[in-house]
Amino acid sequence: MFAFTYHRPDTLAEAVALLQAREEAKPLAGGQTLIATLKQRLAAPSDLVDLGALPALRAIAREDGRLVLGAMARHADVEASPLVRESLPALAALAGLIGDPAVRNRGTLGGAIANNDPSADYPAACLALDATIVTDRREIPAADFFTGLFETALEPDEIVVKVLFPLGGEGAYEKFRNPASRYAMAGVFIWRGEALSGESPVRVAVTGAGQGGVFRWSEAEAALAAHFSPTALAGLVLSADEMIEDIHGSGAYRAHLAGAMARRAVARLMTAGA
Amino acid sequence: MQPSPLDDTMLAAPPPRLLSLTVNGTAVSVTVDVRMLLVQLLRDELRLTGTHVGCDTSQCGACTVHVDGVAVKACAVLVVQVEGCDVRTIEGVATGETLHPMQEAFREHHGLQCGFCTPGMILAAMDMVRRHGPVLDEATVRAELEGNICRCTGYHNIVKAIIAGARAMGGPAGGQE
Ligand SMILES: Cc1cc2nc3c(=O)[nH]c(=O)nc-3n(C[C@H](O)[C@H](O)[C@H](O)COP(=O)(O)OP(=O)(O)OC[C@H]3O[C@@H](n4cnc5c(N)ncnc54)[C@H](O)[C@@H]3O)c2cc1C
Ligand code: FES
Ligand code: FES
């Protein structure tokens, strides 16, 4: 690891001030991605601002018809929370599919979305559920937050404080895990509910597959809005040229997997609703 | 992608930090380089070498320890992050000469061969009981072992040992069918 100065502020204001004071300062959450990156010397932050002493950021609550998850809520907290399991069971299930138990005991929601790994799970839930990402200074709709591979709308000194998930409607997440890394080879989150006029009553978000990271699959949304059934997706295939191609699988393989995961998620929603 | 050119401040040791934590019930005060990993403190400074390093990349679980009762991979945690916490390693699991029920179950069911993965397996298994209670089924145990790799046993006896150890941890009632 390269040298850095370590800080452990007690207040959010202090944390933001520390990030603003040094250009190369970075927040540290669960460290399940960042520490590995530091060990490999792939990052050289001047300062690490540990968010671990800000317990308010770990809260999970239900407010104004929305589920509010603090940025420091650990994957294990979300997986086990009775409130999440009751109000958005698909989100609790998604958290339980991240990595392994020890990773889930430390990794956080805020770290996962700030990192925006193209194969991470939470970005799919945020996009499909139309979540709002609340930072120390503004609210960012999920649709504007994930801007590309490992890229987000966050300023370098901006801290994710919490994420608001609207309730109403139901969701399902299906993931094909890379058997070695446990990340998604393809993961599809489908939401179905009452839509405002002009919006689709079905949202389909795909992670693990697209070269630009998580994305909405609009053709699948239109097909499912017309007829909500796995058969509605028959013949719909994503463009293999736009999918990730690596040692784990070709673009065509990932395009196929995304379709298969989408059909499974629809089937799961239909069984749940029956 | 190496950050370059290296400037001297990136390689110079950062100011050390004095901190306290509890390890296996004993209060410890140490002055550490802020870059020190928890596993380095345990093995290199405190000489608690029962916590192993298999991969050093968060994959294998050989370095699993408890922080405030919760299983974590000590190769992916900085010592400064666990200031004031209660850390438990395999050395702190038995009571004197009496093995912990989970250790006893691994012995009884032959849940190890070379033993390299075993400390991490035992601490991960105790974490399963914390979250799921003393009655574990085989599917749960296998899914929960996702982050603990064993290159010897084929897992079969590890799974048996964990199911039995969990019941024993539940006390006499948990030990019955
Ligand atoms: C073995 C293993 C398997 C994994 N499998 C999966 C998987 O299947 N699916 C999956 O989605 N993920 C997986 N992960 C990643 C895991 O979910 C990480 O926890 C997550 O990506 C990062 O969260 P963290 O809290 O550890 O963040 P950190 O590592 O602490 O930080 C990650 C990045 O986010 C920034 N950051 C952190 N918190 C904030 C905040 N509140 N505001 C602004 N910026 C912030 C940091 O500066 C850093 O750049 C895996 C990790 C490991 C080690
Ligand atoms: S050494 Fe930590 S997980 Fe392998
Ligand atoms: S007993 Fe040898 S690695 Fe598990």
Side-chain angles (χ1 to χ4, degrees):
Chain A
M1 279 183 221
F2 293 115
F4 55 78
T5 307
Y6 175 82
H7 310 269
R8 197 178 168 78
D10 301 322
T11 65
L12 182 62
E14 207 186 320
V16 175
L18 284 163
L19 289 174
Q20 281 169 349
R22 299 286 297 271
E23 206 178 315
E24 299 292 325
K26 249 184 183 305
L28 171 65
Q32 298 304 288
T33 296
L34 185 51
I35 291 174
T37 314
L38 295 174
K39 282 164 77 172
Q40 294 173 80
R41 289 191 166 182
L42 292 173
S46 60
D47 297 66
L48 280 193
V49 180
D50 189 346
L51 307 178
L54 306 173
L57 260 58
R58 204 173 158 182
I60 296 180
R62 200 172 157 155
E63 285 163 20
D64 306 328
R66 292 192 288 196
L67 186 65
V68 183
L69 303 187
M72 290 297 285
R74 293 177 176 160
H75 307 328
D77 299 341
V78 175
E79 176 187 10
S81 158
L83 196 62
V84 183
R85 292 172 83 109
E86 187 208 328
S87 38
L88 258 179
L91 194 63
L94 173 146
L97 290 173
I98 298 176
D100 58 59
V103 168
R104 296 198 288 274
N105 280 341
R106 285 204 74 80
T108 68
L109 167 62
I113 63 172
N115 194 47
N116 194 17
D117 187 300
S119 302
D121 300 298
Y122 270 125
C126 292
L127 211 50
L129 294 167
D130 200 17
T132 301
I133 288 87
V134 181
T135 73
D136 60 274
R137 62 200 68 165
R138 57 183 169 148
E139 298 198 349
I140 310 173
D144 301 332
F145 183 84
F146 303 105
T147 52
L149 220 55
F150 296 102
E151 296 286 341
T152 68
L154 291 173
E155 303 289 335
D157 58 1
E158 190 168 10
I159 296 179
V160 177
V161 173
K162 56 189 173 182
V163 181
L164 314 177
F165 293 93
L167 296 172
E170 351 157 66
Y173 182 61
E174 285 289 336
K175 168 183 186 181
F176 190 87
R177 313 175 96 190
N178 178 314
S181 78
R182 275 88 75 180
Y183 276 93
M185 290 287 291
V188 177
F189 201 113
I190 298 190
W191 172 90
R192 185 191 194 194
E194 294 283 320
L196 302 172
S197 73
E199 290 183 4
S200 170
V202 179
R203 288 192 290 264
V204 179
V206 180
T207 190
Q211 283 174 11
V214 68
F215 65 93
R216 291 258 303 264
W217 186 4
S218 44
E219 291 85 359
E221 292 181 358
L224 290 169
H227 177 50
F228 197 82
S229 145
T231 54
L233 297 174
L236 273 188
V237 194
L238 287 160
S239 157
D241 294 339
E242 286 162 31
M243 300 296 114
I244 299 171
E245 174 124 9
D246 60 15
I247 52 163
H248 306 298
S250 65
Y253 175 68
R254 281 201 169 79
H256 175 81
L257 263 188
M261 293 304 111
R263 289 192 297 277
R264 279 190 196 172
V266 172
R268 183 187 286 271
L269 270 171
M270 290 177 69
T271 341
Chain B
M1 191 184 69
Q2 284 282 341
S4 65
L6 297 179
D7 71 53
D8 293 345
T9 57
M10 289 159 88
L11 296 171
R17 193 170 167 112
L18 170 69
L19 53 83
S20 308
L21 68 164
T22 306
V23 178
N24 296 329
T26 306
V28 176
S29 282
V30 278
T31 302
V32 297
D33 183 319
V34 296
R35 295 170 293 181
M36 184 185 276
L37 298 166
L38 178 56
V39 73
Q40 293 173 310
L41 173 75
L42 296 172
R43 291 180 54 85
D44 303 346
E45 303 294 318
L46 304 179
R47 297 288 170 195
L48 295 170
T49 53
T51 303
H52 294 161
V53 178
C55 64
D56 204 18
T57 55
S58 317
Q59 313 292 322
C60 76
C63 65
T64 306
V65 300
H66 288 184
V67 171
D68 292 337
V70 170
V72 304
K73 292 177 177 178
C75 73
V77 175
L78 297 171
V79 179
V80 286
Q81 291 178 288
V82 298
E83 175 166 10
C85 293
D86 194 356
V87 175
R88 179 134 83 140
T89 71
I90 192 67
E91 288 87 350
V93 165
T95 310
E97 293 297 302
T98 310
L99 292 181
H100 183 278
M102 191 58 78
Q103 290 175 304
E104 184 58 37
F106 270 70
R107 196 188 64 78
E108 176 71 23
H109 293 270
H110 198 60
L112 61 147
Q113 286 178 24
C114 80
F116 191 84
C117 68
T118 316
M121 289 284 177
I122 286 175
L123 287 145
M126 290 164 65
D127 192 65
M128 286 179 212
V129 178
R130 172 181 69 83
R131 287 173 295 117
H132 299 289
V135 182
L136 299 174
D137 60 39
E138 185 180 333
T140 304
V141 174
R142 287 187 184 274
E144 286 277 337
L145 282 177
E146 193 103 55
N148 290 81
I149 293 173
C150 174
R151 62 166 298 181
C152 303
T153 64
Y155 301 96
H156 226 64
N157 286 353
I158 292 177
V159 174
K160 278 191 210 160
I162 292 177
I163 292 171
R167 293 214 167 205
M169 279 172 72
Q176 283 161 22
E177 270 305 302

